[in-house]
Amino acid sequence: MIRWRGFSLLTLAALLLLTVPALAADYEIWPGDAWPVDKPLPEQNYIYHFMDNEGFSQSWFILVDLDDGGLITASVLTSNIGFGDNNCGVELNWIEPNGRSHFVRGDIDSDLLDASHDSFDIRIGQSYLKGKYPDFKFVVAEKNMRAEISFKIELTPWRPNGGRCYFSTDREDYYYFTVPMPMARATGTITLEGKRTTINGRGYMDYSFGTLLPYKYADRWQALRSL
């Protein structure tokens, strides 16, 4: 597999697949100049965005390839789609080297959401995602599992050109994508039913948001990541 600056072309190809119907309609796919790979992306590109669009949703996806052969995937999500605004949730899946999987999910009331307007700091219930380049921290505390993971970024945050794919000629419906953490060293602990395990590995995180109602433009929405 070909990699560029730690960002797998498989990830990019998967994102491009999402835009194929749009290409036929002459919509705009990541217009703008290429972002310099040696220039860190300002955190305003991946902090919490406050929007009241009916179709607005945003998510941070985290992947940790563990040194012991295990894997962690996690996500933080807020959405206006459906009933109410800023519906939010967190998910974490820890796969041990033996293949055993531990999954927790929390659907959390928007009253327990606390996010900064000008820095990378999102708190949902007892879980949070925060930091300042090059140091991020992610904590998930749900049910019988708690994960605390610190990241030291090794590759600069990046986005494809302007970061947006426009799905309407008036540019009101769009999808935004950026990679705040293409590659990082990850250290931390996972506590499951009172038993604590130390973890080490390589981390990845992307951030995306959209202002479009998915059913208007897609029958399926798929994304692949590779580290």
Side-chain angles (χ1 to χ4, degrees):
M1 182 180 299
I2 301 173
R3 297 178 186 276
W4 175 75
R5 292 284 294 176
F7 184 74
S8 166
L9 289 189
L10 177 60
T11 305
L12 186 58
L15 291 167
L16 287 172
L17 285 174
L18 300 179
T19 67
V20 169
L23 289 171
D26 294 325
Y27 295 152
E28 299 176 84
I29 308 304
W30 287 320
D33 297 330
W35 186 265
V37 296
D38 59 348
K39 180 181 178 182
L41 196 67
E43 63 182 2
Q44 285 72 23
N45 288 267
Y46 50 84
I47 65 174
Y48 190 96
H49 284 71
F50 294 84
M51 291 189 179
D52 56 8
N53 307 56
E54 180 186 0
F56 179 72
S57 63
Q58 63 187 328
S59 66
W60 296 261
F61 175 84
I62 294 172
L63 172 67
V64 183
D65 181 16
L66 298 172
D67 292 344
D68 65 5
L71 183 72
I72 293 172
T73 61
S75 60
V76 177
L77 170 71
T78 68
S79 176
N80 292 344
I81 300 174
F83 296 102
D85 291 338
N86 293 319
N87 295 312
C88 49
V90 294
E91 293 183 348
L92 181 119
N93 190 29
W94 173 33
I95 303 175
E96 297 186 71
N98 61 12
R100 187 180 180 187
S101 179
H102 310 279
F103 176 79
V104 291
R105 175 178 177 173
D107 296 315
I108 301 168
D109 191 277
S110 59
D111 291 342
L112 298 177
L113 168 66
D114 184 16
S116 171
H117 285 260
D118 53 16
S119 64
F120 186 49
D121 190 345
I122 306 107
R123 300 171 186 270
I124 300 177
Q126 299 182 66
S127 303
Y128 63 84
L129 179 59
K130 67 176 184 177
K132 190 172 183 63
Y133 175 81
D135 300 295
F136 291 161
K137 186 167 185 179
F138 180 50
V139 171
V140 173
E142 285 293 330
K143 301 179 176 64
N144 63 342
M145 186 154 60
R146 179 182 178 88
E148 299 186 25
I149 309 172
S150 296
F151 299 97
K152 174 70 74 171
I153 296 177
E154 298 176 338
L155 292 176
T156 54
W158 175 85
R159 75 182 183 204
N161 299 340
R164 296 187 181 190
C165 297
Y166 294 99
F167 287 80
S168 60
T169 54
D170 61 7
R171 289 190 164 191
E172 291 296 318
D173 291 351
Y174 62 87
Y175 172 77
Y176 175 84
F177 177 83
T178 187
V179 187
M181 192 169 70
M183 183 76 72
R185 195 63 203 166
T187 58
T189 61
I190 292 183
T191 304
L192 176 65
E193 296 179 347
K195 181 181 179 181
R196 177 175 293 184
T197 301
T198 299
I199 59 169
N200 294 278
R202 295 181 304 156
Y204 163 91
M205 178 173 66
D206 61 52
Y207 168 66
S208 62
F209 72 81
T211 62
L212 63 160
L213 291 166
Y215 68 83
K216 292 174 60 177
Y217 300 99
D219 293 325
R220 297 180 182 87
W221 189 271
Q222 298 175 333
L224 303 175
R225 281 94 167 178
S226 177
L227 189 61

